[in-house]
Amino acid sequence: MGRSPWPVLQLSHLDTQGQAHMVSMAERPSTNRQAMAEGWIRMDPQVLKRITAADAPKGDVLAVARIAAIQAAKRTWELIPLCHPLPIHGVEVWISPTARHSGLRIQASVNTHARTGVEMEALTAVQVGLLTIYDMAKALDPAMEIGGVRLLSKQGGRRGDWRHPRGDQEAVDSHPGQQGEPLPPSPS
């Protein structure tokens, strides 16, 4: 493993006594910020066919998961104790079948003009979207697996732009030791 280009910093959510606190953003300038995250859910191939055909018992799983992901991004500050409430300016969610394994990939992009980033909002959108798929299809396949949730990129802020070191070349649905299919290009 290579050394991270980002320096190891003191945890900003801990005060000098080691107690958790909410970091003040009062002195930071507002800038345009964007973050993109992804994750996957694997399932029985027959369940995937039913979901993609909008033939699941609970209805259109993909439409509900997309709305759930958007709603989760907007409410992240209510779920993660030390996150700041942010003015979310846009959320885009893409759900697509994975090419190599029977499952679905969710990617979420969140943007704002604020004093702190939207990484947690993008990650929360992906997680809640995946959990919504599980919830709506669990009667068909309770053995579904969720994984591979990661931040793909962030733009803006004090530390500038960042992209995941493995980028779009490693699929979120590959097993250890297997080569997964490349991800589609990140939406701009």
Side-chain angles (χ1 to χ4, degrees):
M1 300 224 11
R3 189 168 166 233
S4 172
W6 287 33
V8 176
L9 304 174
Q10 178 182 355
L11 297 175
S12 60
H13 285 85
L14 299 178
D15 66 16
T16 56
Q17 288 79 39
Q19 302 295 313
H21 72 102
M22 192 168 191
V23 176
S24 173
M25 299 289 128
E27 301 302 317
R28 291 187 188 174
S30 290
T31 62
N32 289 324
R33 296 160 184 267
Q34 180 183 15
M36 185 163 183
E38 69 179 355
W40 51 255
I41 183 166
R42 290 191 193 109
M43 62 195 68
D44 181 271
Q46 293 305 313
V47 174
L48 179 60
K49 280 184 184 177
R50 289 190 70 179
I51 289 173
T52 57
D55 184 36
K58 290 187 177 181
D60 189 342
V61 173
L62 301 181
V64 175
R66 188 173 290 106
I67 296 298
I70 292 167
Q71 186 66 25
K74 293 168 33 178
R75 300 184 74 154
T76 298
W77 66 277
E78 294 177 347
L79 301 170
I80 310 295
L82 300 177
C83 280
H84 292 83
L86 295 176
I88 302 298
H89 295 298
V91 180
E92 293 186 69
V93 177
W94 300 270
I95 305 175
S96 58
T98 57
R100 187 162 189 157
H101 303 287
S102 177
L104 295 164
R105 172 183 298 118
I106 295 183
Q107 291 181 311
S109 176
V110 181
N111 66 70
T112 188
H113 186 86
R115 295 175 182 205
T116 190
V118 285
E119 297 91 338
M120 294 307 299
E121 287 73 9
L123 289 162
T124 301
V126 167
Q127 293 278 22
V128 171
L130 292 167
L131 288 170
T132 300
I133 292 169
Y134 185 92
D135 178 55
M136 293 190 70
K138 66 182 182 274
L140 300 172
D141 184 5
M144 288 180 285
E145 296 178 28
I146 293 172
V149 176
R150 65 181 182 157
L151 183 68
L152 284 175
S153 63
K154 71 166 237 40
Q155 296 172 340
R158 292 184 299 169
R159 294 189 194 104
D161 296 354
W162 178 87
R163 292 190 64 76
H164 196 282
R166 291 188 304 268
D168 290 346
Q169 298 308 306
E170 182 176 319
V172 294
D173 65 339
S174 63
H175 292 291
Q178 288 184 330
Q179 181 64 35
E181 83 277 10
L183 293 173
S186 297
S188 301

